[in-house]
Amino acid sequence: MIVRTVAEVLAAVTGRSVTECSAADQGLEAGPGVNGLVQLEVVETLQDRVIITVPDEVTARMRAVRDLQDAVGVPVVAATVDTSTGKDSS
């Protein structure tokens, strides 16, 4: 789910295809063409879509698509677990 969501947002923001934005190991700048301002737009869009907050220091360290997937995926996994029962609430 997260891999697809990240690829869709990267594609929407950069104008590239979802396929071009799906390779986790490619650099954000070299692959989908994400510079600093575009990276912020991608992170903001993901935060709105997935309803999470990615800390600025995490955003600043992002270099590859996988970094973006990890930054978004970890809070999403944590958010889908009901802390009162420990069960997945999605």
Side-chain angles (χ1 to χ4, degrees), residues 9-16 28-29 32-46 59 62 68:
V9 169
L10 278 168
V13 172
T14 63
R16 294 180 183 247
L28 286 171
E29 218 170 306
V34 175
N35 62 27
L37 291 175
V38 174
Q39 181 175 333
L40 290 176
E41 184 178 353
V42 168
V43 170
E44 288 292 323
T45 302
L46 283 165
T59 301
M62 292 179 187
L68 189 53

Side-chain angles (χ1 to χ4, degrees), residues 4-75:
R4 180 75 180 177
T5 300
V6 168
E8 288 171 352
V9 169
L10 278 168
V13 172
T14 63
R16 294 180 183 247
S17 72
V18 171
T19 303
E20 289 177 291
C21 297
S22 295
D25 292 328
Q26 74 178 333
L28 286 171
E29 218 170 306
V34 175
N35 62 27
L37 291 175
V38 174
Q39 181 175 333
L40 290 176
E41 184 178 353
V42 168
V43 170
E44 288 292 323
T45 302
L46 283 165
Q47 290 181 131
D48 291 344
R49 185 185 272 191
V50 186
I51 310 172
I52 59 163
T53 301
V54 177
D56 292 342
E57 55 274 6
V58 172
T59 301
R61 289 192 308 262
M62 292 179 187
R63 298 291 177 255
V65 173
R66 181 179 314 283
D67 298 332
L68 189 53
Q69 293 167 346
D70 290 346
V72 174
V74 171

